[in-house]
Amino acid sequence: MEYKVKHLKEVYQNNAGAVFQCDTASCLWLHFQNRWFHLDVRKFYRLSRALVAIDLSALLAASDTADIEILHLIGTDICLMLTIDEIILLKDLVGGAKVMLELNSIIKAARFAPIGQVV
């Protein structure tokens, strides 16, 4: 997938979508399931925590229930009905973006740290 949107920098991408950073609006954009979701940093981390809380092993072990999880973030317009495969892809997408955002902060801190100081 290739995206061409002004003012957005790609943070992370997988087969399911991508996460973009918008410096002009100080927000993140999540593209998943052919939908766009606008997230401030607080909501992005709330989404990350909600995905971590999903117990995939319980979904796989439950033979009497559907293999679908409904994910709704209160205070956002995000309401997704996800299969196990989609949960795995979204976890990778959000987790990868989170690592890339944190890595950028670590690199900046190390770059501007005085010589010999451990970051």
Side-chain angles (χ1 to χ4, degrees), residues 2 4 35 39-40 42 45-46 58 62 66 71 91 103 111 119:
E2 188 171 321
K4 294 181 181 178
R35 294 170 58 193
L39 300 165
D40 61 26
R42 189 180 82 246
Y45 279 94
R46 190 183 313 160
L71 178 67
K91 279 186 171 195
L103 180 62
R111 184 173 163 206
V119 179

Side-chain angles (χ1 to χ4, degrees), residues 2-113:
E2 188 171 321
Y3 302 94
K4 294 181 181 178
V5 183
K6 287 185 176 182
H7 307 293
L8 296 181
K9 296 177 190 171
E10 183 178 291
V11 175
Y12 186 78
Q13 176 180 336
N14 68 9
N15 293 336
V19 175
F20 297 90
Q21 181 176 350
C22 178
D23 292 332
T24 57
S26 297
C27 66
L28 297 165
W29 284 91
L30 169 66
H31 183 250
F32 183 73
Q33 292 183 335
N34 294 320
R35 294 170 58 193
W36 287 90
F37 302 98
H38 174 267
L39 300 165
D40 61 26
V41 175
R42 189 180 82 246
K43 290 176 185 173
F44 178 77
Y45 279 94
R46 190 183 313 160
L47 173 62
S48 176
R49 284 191 303 272
L51 287 168
V52 168
I54 296 174
D55 186 4
L56 288 174
S57 59
L59 280 174
L60 290 168
S63 61
D64 59 337
T65 61
D67 296 339
I68 292 177
E69 182 78 16
I70 296 175
L71 178 67
H72 178 250
L73 287 182
I74 297 172
T76 69
D77 62 344
I78 297 177
C79 185
L80 301 168
M81 187 166 40
L82 304 168
T83 63
I84 292 174
D85 292 338
E86 292 169 332
I87 293 169
I88 292 168
L89 288 169
L90 186 57
K91 279 186 171 195
D92 173 63
L93 182 60
V94 172
K98 186 177 168 186
V99 167
M100 294 306 291
L101 291 168
E102 291 170 356
L103 180 62
N104 190 28
S105 298
I106 292 168
I107 291 171
K108 282 184 180 179
R111 184 173 163 206
F112 296 111

